[in-house]
Amino acid sequence: MTVVAQGVAQVLTVGVLLGMIYTLVGLGMTLSLGVLGILNLTHGLAVVGGSILAFEVVRTWGLSVGVALALSIPLGFVAGVVLHVGLVRRAQRVSPESGLLVLFGAMLLLQAVAVQVWRSDTRTLTLSFSEHLSSFAGVTVRTDYAVAAAAAAGLLLIIWAVIRFTMFGRAVQALSQHPDAARILGVNADRYTTVVFGISMALAASSGVLLAGVFPFSVQTQTQWLAYAFIVVLLGGTGGVVNAAVGGLALGMGQAVLNELLPLTWVSVVVYGLLVLAMVARGGGLSAAKERAL
């Protein structure tokens, strides 16, 4: 393998690994928008909450990151159900705009509480394999990237199978495609929308656990992950795992290339700039992405 080919393979491999993690970051937003029509502004906080949980479980309790991943799913689900039943559902009965305002207020309140409890310090979670490198066919990648990507792929496969092959998944698809017809056929819309919102928060929290072992994090990084979830939706559309995978892999590939071409401090600037351009180009921003079918 030539030096150029090896370099390209290296970038593509890193892009795929990052893309799998970003797919999990954006999948919750994809489901929330595609099925419920809800722009969940607390999504980034759920991601950071998962990272904080991982840090506490590993550094304070001395347990493995696998335990943190297992805990993040039920805890994220319960948080999502409470948020939806307690605030979002009631506000949306008034108007969709009221639901968005409630989520915006909840985001500000929860971030303020998080800063008071965990401060605004940047934390880094060092795992037993964080400094290790893995090589295959001349390509060397960080082991923590590979482990996080493999865990993300496993969760994505489970969600894809649930949506594709279960009665719950069929009901969710019916709600996303034609809510009124689904209700006529006996689908309990309130129950299913609450469950989907809980699942979206659980996915966000689980992605935060995986990200904690890869990138430094603080409460303020919730804005970064909220923006990345938006990008995944804009690039891939809404509704399911395949859509999220398209957006996540495109984002991961793009970031891997930018990391090779630009100083690290400029990568986020370019990514956020592409977010603005994508929203303008779509002529409707996230609402245009939302119109794509499940």
Side-chain angles (χ1 to χ4, degrees):
M1 183 180 291
T2 65
V3 175
V4 174
Q6 185 174 350
V8 171
Q10 181 87 26
V11 171
L12 292 177
T13 302
V14 171
V16 170
L17 296 180
L18 286 175
M20 294 306 299
I21 303 171
Y22 293 158
T23 298
L24 190 62
V25 172
L27 179 57
M29 183 68 75
T30 296
L31 291 175
S32 179
L33 269 172
V35 178
L36 312 180
I38 296 174
L39 178 58
N40 183 11
L41 296 177
T42 64
H43 186 91
L45 282 171
V47 175
V48 172
S51 296
I52 292 173
L53 175 64
F55 187 88
E56 294 296 332
V57 167
V58 175
R59 296 289 292 273
T60 303
W61 301 349
L63 301 175
S64 72
V65 70
V67 174
L69 183 61
L71 288 174
S72 68
I73 296 173
L75 290 176
F77 180 82
V78 170
V81 168
V82 170
L83 182 61
H84 188 264
V85 173
L87 295 177
V88 178
R89 183 191 293 176
R90 296 182 180 183
Q92 284 203 311
R93 287 171 181 167
V94 178
S95 68
E97 293 76 14
S98 298
L100 184 62
L101 288 174
V102 164
L103 285 169
F104 179 68
M107 179 189 70
L108 296 179
L109 174 62
L110 292 173
Q111 180 172 333
V113 171
V115 169
Q116 291 299 316
V117 175
W118 287 288
R119 305 302 175 189
S120 57
D121 301 336
T122 298
R123 294 172 170 84
T124 302
L125 180 61
T126 302
L127 302 173
S128 59
F129 48 80
S130 293
E131 304 299 326
H132 296 177
L133 297 176
S134 300
S135 298
F136 179 77
V139 176
T140 301
V141 296
R142 288 170 45 178
T143 303
D144 52 0
Y145 277 36
V147 171
L155 289 173
L156 293 170
L157 182 61
I158 292 172
I159 295 298
W160 175 81
V162 168
I163 293 175
R164 185 72 182 273
F165 299 114
T166 67
M167 290 300 296
F168 170 80
R170 293 188 181 95
V172 169
Q173 292 180 62
L175 281 173
S176 69
Q177 294 167 6
H178 204 304
D180 292 335
R183 291 184 178 92
I184 292 172
L185 292 173
V187 175
N188 189 324
D190 286 343
R191 179 185 302 170
Y192 277 92
T193 53
T194 298
V195 171
V196 171
F197 194 87
I199 291 173
S200 72
M201 292 288 276
L203 291 170
S206 63
S207 71
V209 172
L210 301 181
L211 287 167
V214 177
F215 301 116
F217 65 92
S218 67
V219 174
Q220 287 74 15
T221 54
Q222 68 98 2
T223 55
Q224 174 187 347
W225 299 122
L226 182 61
Y228 275 37
F230 286 168
I231 295 173
V232 170
V233 172
L234 285 167
L235 295 176
T238 63
V241 176
V242 175
N243 303 77
V246 171
L249 290 172
L251 176 59
M253 291 288 187
Q255 184 172 353
V257 172
L258 290 173
N259 285 340
E260 295 296 321
L261 300 178
L262 298 175
L264 187 60
T265 54
W266 280 95
V267 173
S268 295
V269 175
V270 175
V271 169
Y272 293 150
L274 292 175
L275 169 61
V276 174
L277 291 175
M279 294 184 75
V280 172
R282 275 199 179 275
L286 288 173
S287 62
K290 191 182 76 170
E291 292 169 2
R292 299 175 67 173
L294 181 68

